[in-house]
Amino acid sequence: MPPGQYVPRGWPVLHYGPVPKFRPKDWDFRVFGATATGGQHRWTWDEFERLPRASAVADFHCVTKFTIPDNHWEGVPGSAIVELAPPDPEATHVMVWAEYGYSANIRMSDFLADGTMFATHRDGERLPPDHGFPIRLVVPHLYAWKSVKWVRAVEYLVKDRRGFWEERGYHNVADPWREQRYSYQEDEGDAPPL
């Protein structure tokens, strides 16, 4: 268990803004930005459901200090997205975009890490709407604000830039084992260039 964390009863619901309505006919998932071709990739909901899948058992660490141990996640791995929509060789980070313009930045190495996936299921059940249905990114080795709910797109970046919470004072990297909660804790090299 990372320092400063505790195991709560249940799985607390935390998010900014309302829970979006899922409209499968209008929903799509896009990859854009610094792609290898310079173009955009797009999948409808039916197409996304047919993408390569994986599963992983991992803890879930919230910056508000709770940890949910041993979640069984199922979904589309970040590595599968990179195979299907290759980034430019210069891409170093991704910005994950969600409904209502919410975003979180992560390093490409975190996006490709084992266990990182666009989860559709937890513990054998479809994610509920307040936990990110239809998909949420899960990055088990980082604090959960990086595990974006209601994901709609991935933008490949050739240089880092801050996402929604990072612009509001949260740590740019978010490693729970190092208690990287807030931007004032950043070391040189943790933050994007100005």
Side-chain angles (χ1 to χ4, degrees), residues 27-43:
W27 189 94
D28 65 359
F29 179 86
R30 295 177 300 122
V31 176
F32 65 99
T35 63
T37 64
Q40 177 174 270
H41 302 265
R42 180 185 172 275
W43 292 271

Side-chain angles (χ1 to χ4, degrees), residues 126-143:
R126 191 65 86 167
L127 288 174
D130 58 355
H131 282 295
F133 174 81
I135 63 170
R136 80 174 299 157
L137 181 66
V138 173
V139 188
H141 62 282
L142 299 180
Y143 281 126

Side-chain angles (χ1 to χ4, degrees), residues 94-97 101-106 145-146 148 157 160-172 192:
V94 301
M95 186 71 75
V96 181
W97 292 97
Y102 178 85
S103 62
N105 61 318
I106 61 173
W145 84 81
K146 299 287 191 176
V148 177
L157 305 174
D160 192 15
R161 69 176 194 265
R162 293 181 187 275
F164 181 88
W165 286 116
E166 296 80 15
E167 288 179 341
R168 288 159 177 81
Y170 280 74
H171 198 283
N172 200 52

Side-chain angles (χ1 to χ4, degrees), residues 64-78:
T64 63
K65 301 191 176 185
F66 72 80
T67 289
I68 308 292
D70 300 325
N71 300 276
H72 181 255
W73 301 103
E74 297 171 51
V76 177

Side-chain angles (χ1 to χ4, degrees), residues 147-166:
S147 293
V148 177
K149 297 179 183 182
W150 312 301
V151 174
R152 295 298 302 272
V154 169
E155 178 185 5
Y156 294 144
L157 305 174
V158 294
K159 66 178 187 177
D160 192 15
R161 69 176 194 265
R162 293 181 187 275
F164 181 88
W165 286 116
E166 296 80 15

Side-chain angles (χ1 to χ4, degrees), residues 5-193:
Q5 298 292 104
Y6 72 95
V7 177
R9 293 184 184 157
W11 187 15
V13 174
L14 299 169
H15 56 263
Y16 180 85
V19 175
K21 293 194 185 306
F22 174 57
R23 295 177 176 88
K25 290 184 179 178
D26 299 328
W27 189 94
D28 65 359
F29 179 86
R30 295 177 300 122
V31 176
F32 65 99
T35 63
T37 64
Q40 177 174 270
H41 302 265
R42 180 185 172 275
W43 292 271
T44 65
W45 175 244
D46 288 340
E47 291 167 338
F48 188 88
E49 284 275 272
R50 293 192 297 270
L51 293 180
R53 301 183 69 74
S55 63
V57 175
D59 297 345
F60 183 84
H61 309 293
C62 184
V63 72
T64 63
K65 301 191 176 185
F66 72 80
T67 289
I68 308 292
D70 300 325
N71 300 276
H72 181 255
W73 301 103
E74 297 171 51
V76 177
S79 58
I81 296 300
V82 165
E83 286 179 28
L84 295 165
D88 183 283
E90 300 294 313
T92 58
H93 291 77
V94 301
M95 186 71 75
V96 181
W97 292 97
E99 298 284 357
Y100 308 127
Y102 178 85
S103 62
N105 61 318
I106 61 173
R107 299 170 294 195
M108 185 64 78
S109 58
D110 295 319
F111 189 66
L112 295 172
D114 287 343
T116 297
M117 70 178 68
F118 294 94
T120 57
H121 292 74
R122 176 183 170 262
D123 295 339
E125 295 183 8
R126 191 65 86 167
L127 288 174
D130 58 355
H131 282 295
F133 174 81
I135 63 170
R136 80 174 299 157
L137 181 66
V138 173
V139 188
H141 62 282
L142 299 180
Y143 281 126
W145 84 81
K146 299 287 191 176
S147 293
V148 177
K149 297 179 183 182
W150 312 301
V151 174
R152 295 298 302 272
V154 169
E155 178 185 5
Y156 294 144
L157 305 174
V158 294
K159 66 178 187 177
D160 192 15
R161 69 176 194 265
R162 293 181 187 275
F164 181 88
W165 286 116
E166 296 80 15
E167 288 179 341
R168 288 159 177 81
Y170 280 74
H171 198 283
N172 200 52
V173 176
D175 182 340
W177 298 98
R178 295 176 60 201
E179 289 194 88
Q180 293 176 330
R181 297 177 194 276
Y182 305 109
S183 60
Y184 72 82
Q185 299 169 308
E186 290 173 355
D187 294 325
E188 189 175 328
D190 287 342

